[in-house]
Amino acid sequence: MKTNPVDKEEIIENLSHINTLINHKQVYGKQSAPYFIVWGCIWIIGFLISSTGAISIIQLTWISLGIIGWLFSGIIFLKQKRLDPMPKFLKNQFRMVWLGFMFIIYIVVFLIGSNLLPLSFHYLSLYSFLLVSILYILLGIVLTRIIFLMGLWLVILGTVTYSFFLDYMYVIFAILGGGCLLLTGILFNRKGIKNE
């Protein structure tokens, strides 16, 4: 049985490419840390205020926090784009992730608009929690197993909380959901994404 001779140049080129991918993912982990920290804090504040039960205050809080979060996210994005642009291959992967996520949001909005999914503030909280969980899973496919597993954890947390601990839903979403986002941001800020 014949074996093909090993092409050392091809091996070196492949190893160099793998090393480049790992380095870019670690850099992107550090770049994504501020987003997780900002939105983790917003989730903690928003869901804790939601636990008070005053609908007018809750709506005003989430609108204000949403504007603040997107403002901070936009500033972070523009600053990072200017200082350290994302590599093209990662940009293409993330474009597909965001397209997939937008399509999932479209499906949820369509189901709510068609009255196939119920619409109330409690359900909207669950939907938003599950949508962020799905985003984690999609990002985990591109970046790392840790984010993927955290997305699965958030899906399980959301469904179990809504099924069995409805009275404590907002507190659980604040502490465990927002805490997960915040913890992810802190870990990425310290270490980036490790190769897996």
Side-chain angles (χ1 to χ4, degrees):
M1 184 174 181
K2 287 185 178 180
T3 58
N4 293 331
V6 177
D7 186 357
K8 290 182 182 179
E9 287 182 21
E10 184 179 343
I11 292 172
I12 291 171
E13 185 179 321
N14 288 339
L15 288 174
S16 175
H17 180 69
I18 290 169
N19 189 40
T20 302
L21 289 174
I22 291 167
N23 288 337
H24 283 307
K25 285 189 176 188
Q26 287 175 339
V27 168
Y28 186 75
K30 283 189 178 269
Q31 285 181 341
S32 63
Y35 299 106
F36 284 103
I37 292 170
V38 166
W39 288 101
C41 291
I42 285 173
W43 267 37
I44 291 169
I45 294 167
F47 279 120
L48 284 177
I49 290 174
S50 296
S51 67
T52 62
I55 295 293
S56 59
I57 294 172
I58 293 170
Q59 291 172 343
L60 181 64
T61 299
W62 278 109
I63 290 169
S64 303
L65 289 173
I67 292 169
I68 291 168
W70 284 111
L71 182 67
F72 273 110
S73 296
I75 291 168
I76 293 166
F77 173 77
L78 292 174
K79 184 178 176 185
Q80 288 179 347
K81 187 176 180 181
R82 192 174 63 247
L83 296 177
D84 194 7
M86 190 185 300
K88 189 173 181 180
F89 70 91
L90 267 182
K91 199 180 288 186
N92 291 336
Q93 288 180 331
F94 279 102
R95 188 174 294 127
M96 295 305 291
V97 166
W98 286 110
L99 281 173
F101 185 63
M102 292 301 164
F103 185 70
I104 291 168
I105 289 177
Y106 166 77
I107 291 170
V108 171
V109 169
F110 174 77
L111 292 173
I112 291 171
S114 302
N115 293 324
L116 295 171
L117 285 178
L119 179 62
S120 72
F121 186 75
H122 291 293
Y123 283 111
L124 285 177
S125 297
L126 177 65
Y127 298 155
S128 63
F129 196 88
L130 294 177
L131 283 171
V132 169
S133 306
I134 291 168
L135 179 60
Y136 256 73
I137 291 169
L138 293 173
L139 287 172
I141 292 169
V142 174
L143 290 175
T144 180
R145 185 178 7 150
I146 293 172
I147 296 178
F148 181 82
L149 292 175
M150 196 170 289
L152 293 178
W153 152 249
L154 288 174
V155 167
I156 293 167
L157 174 67
T159 53
V160 168
T161 299
Y162 197 81
S163 300
F164 301 108
F165 305 105
L166 190 57
D167 294 338
Y168 307 104
M169 179 176 77
Y170 298 123
V171 175
I172 292 171
F173 283 0
I175 295 170
L176 297 179
C180 283
L181 291 170
L182 191 58
L183 181 63
T184 303
I186 291 168
L187 291 174
F188 279 1
N189 194 42
R190 293 179 70 190
K191 298 181 181 179
I193 297 174
K194 290 184 176 179
N195 176 36
E196 296 189 5

